[in-house]
Amino acid sequence: MTTCCTSAAVHAVILITCLFAATASAAIQIPEGGYLAAEHHDDLVMAPDGITIEGWFYLDEYPAEGPLFAPLVVKPGSYAIALVDRPKIGMARVIDPGPYVQLQFYDHRSDIPDAWMLCDGVVGRSATAIPDTNPVPAAEWMHVAFEMVDFDDGGALSYYLNGVRLGEKPESWVDESRAPFCIGGVPIAGPCLLGLQPRSWPGKIDAVRVSRGVRYGADVFAPERDLRVDRDTI
């Protein structure tokens, strides 16, 4: 895994690390404009029996209000998990004190080879009601997980925060894009984000694991604090 920065970043950081299913003892803080990239990203695609993406993330503080797209994990053209701003319309400001951020989970179905499409197949958010019934915590570690089985193999999708299923749907698409697998940021903005420049994850990342198949498949589970490498880890 390599820590990289976009050309616009002030910091030029190159760091080889085993964050992926990590055994490192220290969490990583990614500089603004930076991201972690997997060197063997072609392996991180949908397996015949599905795929599970999970990790431990720490949000330092709630970002200022305004347009936000901060990836936790993204493989453009395949799947993504991001922190985004929540809608603030109508009576939301009166009855919902915030914070105005939410997790959003994406699967992708694109007919454009190697497309850097980050907004295909938006499937869910942590806020299913106002006030937010599943607020994203700040200043504490949170476990985030995303399970998918491809539509052609029956199709299913579930997304979780701290071991609680936030939502699901009975279909999912994950194209086998050759785009890199990135953690905590993304090299360039997708062409359908209407000029919104993604920012790096505003906090720390301790471990990320990608697995073959559906690891949990339950409404509630107890997340492992140390994500072990086992026979299902890709």
Side-chain angles (χ1 to χ4, degrees):
M1 190 76 69
T2 304
T3 301
C4 307
C5 290
T6 61
S7 58
V10 175
H11 301 87
V13 181
I14 302 297
L15 173 66
I16 305 301
T17 180
C18 295
L19 179 68
F20 206 33
T23 58
S25 59
I28 290 178
Q29 184 99 31
I30 298 176
E32 184 55 45
Y35 59 93
L36 291 161
E39 296 169 344
H40 302 288
H41 57 79
D42 287 345
D43 297 332
L44 306 175
V45 296
M46 177 75 82
D49 54 348
I51 190 170
T52 300
I53 301 99
E54 62 184 313
W56 285 95
F57 302 88
Y58 186 99
L59 179 63
D60 286 340
E61 60 183 4
Y62 293 118
E65 290 186 36
L68 174 68
F69 185 89
L72 287 73
V73 173
V74 57
K75 184 170 172 55
S78 292
Y79 47 78
I81 308 171
L83 185 72
V84 301
D85 55 300
R86 293 204 293 119
K88 299 173 282 291
I89 58 176
M91 293 294 292
R93 289 190 176 278
V94 177
I95 64 175
D96 185 356
Y100 296 110
V101 293
Q102 64 189 9
L103 292 174
Q104 203 141 32
F105 300 79
Y106 303 74
D107 62 355
H108 301 266
R109 187 180 189 184
S110 174
D111 297 327
I112 305 173
D114 300 329
W116 288 80
M117 301 294 284
L118 295 179
C119 56
D120 284 358
V122 176
V123 298
R125 56 184 58 167
S126 62
T128 57
I130 297 176
D132 191 351
T133 57
N134 293 288
V136 177
E140 65 181 75
W141 285 102
M142 61 179 170
H143 180 269
V144 180
F146 194 14
E147 298 175 333
M148 292 164 282
V149 176
D150 194 68
F151 182 80
D152 294 334
D153 296 306
L157 184 151
S158 294
Y159 41 100
Y160 302 85
L161 176 62
N162 289 329
V164 177
R165 188 176 351 229
L166 302 181
E168 60 184 326
K169 75 169 190 174
E171 58 185 31
S172 177
W173 291 273
V174 179
D175 280 1
E176 296 187 1
S177 166
R178 296 184 60 192
F181 179 91
C182 298
I183 299 171
V186 67
I188 62 173
C192 58
L193 285 179
L194 301 177
L196 178 60
Q197 178 64 45
R199 62 168 294 182
S200 298
W201 171 250
K204 304 174 189 67
I205 302 172
D206 190 34
V208 171
R209 180 171 65 185
V210 180
S211 308
R212 300 176 187 86
V214 172
R215 273 196 178 267
Y216 303 113
D219 290 334
V220 179
F221 65 90
E224 299 174 58
R225 187 58 185 89
D226 297 316
L227 299 180
R228 296 172 292 105
V229 176
D230 57 25
R231 64 181 184 180
D232 292 321
T233 304
I234 299 177

